[in-house]
Amino acid sequence: MSETPDSAVRTYIENNRAAFLDDLAEWLRIPSVSAQPDHAQDVRRSADWLAAKLKETGFPTVEVWQTPGAPAVFAEWPSDDPRAPTVLVYGHHDVQPAAREDGWDTDPFEPVVEGNRLYARGAADDKGQVFFHTLGVRAHLAATGRTAPAVHLKLLIEGEEESGSPHFRALIEEHRERIAADAVIVSDTGMWSEDTPTVCTGMRGLADCEIELRGPDQDIHSGSFGGAVPNPATEAARLVAALHDEHARVAIPGFYEGITELTDRERELFAELPFDEERWLRTAKSHATHGEAGHTTLERIWARPTAEVNGIGGGYQGAGGKTIVPSSAFLKLSFRLVAGQDPDRVEEAVRTWVADRLPPGIRHTITFGSATRPCLTPLDHPALQSVVRAMGRAFEQQIRFTREGGSGPAADLQDVLGAPVLFLGISVPSDGWHAPNEKVELDLLLKGVETTAYLWGDLAENWRDAH
């Protein structure tokens, strides 16, 4: 067990709860909306506020890193033990747009506590989950008598996550040596539910493209020329029809190359979660499940790759008929990727597949966007086991496992640093990320504080060979 006495940690947290929440409310009042140019100064003010608070917490090194967009905050607190592992905590201080007229019951940037809930934009996503690390490290020090954390602790809190992190990859490549770590903790995530605390072990990656098909040099008369020249709209439809086989597997040759298959144990752990498929369908605003044969719904959205048609168009779109062979058509496709898939290989496979299926007379161009790599940490990884033990101590119950079907900048950290990514979040689905009346459950927020207070000692004790 870690050296941190549970009772001492809990006493420290309770004694400092009020001041912690007052500080968080002050930060939440800063409308750091990165997507709106009018709030650019507020995002900078948010970064400066956090930097000052991290210095007050005790971090000896705190810097605001400028980017072509919004600033990030970097902090570092070395351990007294040179053999201790190095841990980088990632989060973001920017928030989604919010206005009272969007449906909020209160001013989104004037925090309100009702019962055991704190309502404000950023309460859960992500200021609350970033800020619990400040009280957590102080509780860790107070309960152990240390003057520095048991691990070499670093924080990188970006300011553009809600705008797609356009400068994040360049930022971490520029500062690769400063942020080097043995493990990355991402506190921009959540749990299954209040009653079922979970740890996320991975995220899917993403690749997307637009395919433009060109046939005749202009729209031409379907009576004079139809049936004698290739139709780009027809070929777009044929590509879509060929995208999956009869088992809903992606039919692009080489698409599944290298993927890390689910283990039997992982499938068992997913099956243990209290998943209500009918309720999930209502949330999805859908009427039936569908997907790759042989896999459950949770397996499909967490651990299987996908190909989705995001848009399709071409030819006449107006009222009535127009008897033409259109000159062009387009498709927008996206691919969610799982561990083992390489976005570059997927792009090459898609390009080859399209070229091989199109007939003579159809010219095409394919434009891919910036890809996000998938990330996955094995269940038996020692750092992940430390997170599970620390959460188990805080929540006093079994911790279960999930994955995340979406994509995010965490994979860039794994790719650039070559370090495992671990997810430590306490938000629950009802917190309403990006929605009106976003909130955080205060009891869970303090469980996040408690988890981090235990985590640093557990990592130092059980993962000394990290280097």
Side-chain angles (χ1 to χ4, degrees):
M1 292 295 289
S2 164
E3 63 186 318
T4 307
D6 298 16
S7 59
V9 166
R10 290 170 181 157
T11 297
Y12 186 89
I13 293 171
E14 184 57 34
N15 290 342
N16 290 273
R17 170 189 172 119
F20 166 75
L21 294 178
D22 285 346
D23 284 343
L24 176 57
E26 183 179 315
W27 194 20
L28 291 169
R29 290 189 182 98
I30 302 175
S32 50
V33 182
S34 62
Q36 295 177 337
D38 290 348
H39 285 293
Q41 184 58 41
D42 292 317
V43 181
R44 287 190 290 271
R45 187 157 58 97
S46 172
D48 291 339
W49 187 96
L50 177 59
K53 190 57 62 175
L54 291 174
K55 290 178 183 177
E56 182 183 311
T57 298
F59 282 84
T61 300
V62 181
E63 299 170 5
V64 176
W65 287 352
Q66 303 299 328
T67 76
V73 178
F74 172 78
E76 183 174 10
W77 197 338
S79 174
D80 293 333
D81 181 359
R83 296 175 56 222
T86 299
V87 180
L88 175 70
V89 173
Y90 166 84
H92 63 92
H93 66 92
D94 64 320
V95 299
Q96 280 280 310
R100 184 69 180 268
E101 55 267 26
D102 294 337
W104 285 75
D105 295 333
T106 58
D107 184 334
F109 295 105
E110 185 51 53
V112 173
V113 175
E114 293 183 2
N116 195 44
R117 294 174 171 177
L118 170 62
Y119 291 87
R121 175 59 88 221
D125 181 24
D126 183 34
K127 288 180 176 177
Q129 300 202 92
V130 166
F131 202 57
F132 71 55
H133 285 279
T134 62
L135 183 54
V137 71
R138 285 161 46 206
H140 164 65
L141 298 176
T144 61
R146 292 178 174 273
T147 57
V151 299
H152 302 301
L153 185 58
K154 302 178 181 181
L155 271 67
L156 179 60
I157 313 302
E158 74 158 312
E160 296 184 304
E161 195 274 345
E162 299 293 9
S163 298
S165 302
H167 304 105
F168 186 67
R169 178 79 183 215
L171 179 73
I172 62 177
E173 288 179 341
E174 176 186 355
H175 296 285
R176 184 194 308 255
E177 293 185 5
R178 296 290 305 279
I179 64 174
D182 300 304
V184 177
I185 300 287
V186 173
S187 285
D188 182 24
T189 185
M191 307 189 305
W192 181 266
S193 70
E194 294 179 53
D195 300 325
T196 308
T198 54
V199 171
C200 176
T201 62
M203 298 181 72
R204 292 194 293 189
L206 175 66
D208 67 283
C209 68
E210 181 168 348
I211 305 171
E212 182 183 2
L213 305 179
R214 301 179 304 279
D217 292 335
Q218 65 180 39
D219 293 350
I220 56 177
H221 195 290
S222 65
S224 300
F225 305 104
V229 296
N231 184 317
T234 299
E235 297 308 322
R238 290 181 193 216
L239 284 175
V240 168
L243 194 55
H244 298 88
D245 67 14
E246 66 274 20
H247 303 295
R249 281 178 58 89
V250 179
I252 298 172
F255 181 76
Y256 290 90
E257 180 182 340
I259 70 168
T260 302
E261 298 284 355
L262 272 169
T263 65
D264 290 341
R265 179 57 179 154
E266 287 173 314
R267 300 186 80 166
E268 291 171 1
L269 290 170
F270 287 179
E272 289 178 1
L273 292 166
F275 178 59
D276 184 333
E277 193 164 85
E278 290 301 319
R279 182 177 179 181
W280 179 86
L281 276 171
R282 290 194 296 271
T283 302
K285 309 298 183 187
S286 300
H287 307 284
T289 60
H290 175 76
E292 185 180 356
H295 295 278
T296 67
T297 297
L298 288 182
E299 291 169 7
R300 290 168 181 164
I301 60 177
W302 286 349
R304 299 301 297 170
T306 68
E308 295 292 346
V309 180
N310 307 130
I312 181 171
Y316 179 63
Q317 305 289 322
K322 186 178 184 183
T323 52
I324 59 169
V325 175
S327 63
S328 64
F330 73 89
L331 295 173
K332 292 180 183 287
L333 305 179
S334 64
F335 305 90
R336 295 289 175 174
L337 311 179
V338 299
Q341 284 183 298
D342 184 311
D344 293 336
R345 289 205 302 268
V346 169
E347 177 178 336
E348 181 181 353
V350 172
R351 290 184 182 279
T352 300
W353 176 75
V354 172
D356 288 348
R357 295 197 67 87
L358 294 177
I362 296 292
R363 299 153 293 156
H364 74 282
T365 56
I366 305 180
T367 304
F368 274 83
S370 298
T372 300
R373 292 182 178 275
C375 60
L376 177 66
T377 301
L379 293 178
D380 60 355
H381 193 285
L384 177 60
Q385 290 304 310
S386 285
V387 174
V388 172
R389 280 191 297 269
M391 282 193 75
R393 289 175 65 182
F395 283 87
E396 299 182 284
Q397 61 177 289
Q398 180 183 356
I399 305 302
R400 301 185 185 278
F401 297 92
T402 64
R403 292 195 197 178
E404 173 59 56
S407 307
D412 283 333
L413 288 165
Q414 183 187 56
D415 192 33
V416 171
L417 301 182
V421 172
L422 314 166
F423 296 86
L424 172 55
I426 50 74
S427 184
V428 290
S430 63
D431 284 344
W433 291 24
H434 300 195
N437 300 317
E438 178 186 344
K439 55 86 176 171
V440 69
E441 300 287 336
L442 294 181
D443 284 349
L444 297 183
L445 187 65
L446 296 177
K447 289 297 184 186
V449 173
E450 189 178 345
T451 298
T452 62
Y454 301 141
L455 177 58
W456 310 137
D458 192 295
L459 278 168
E461 184 176 333
N462 293 289
W463 201 34
R464 285 186 175 275
D465 61 347
H467 300 293

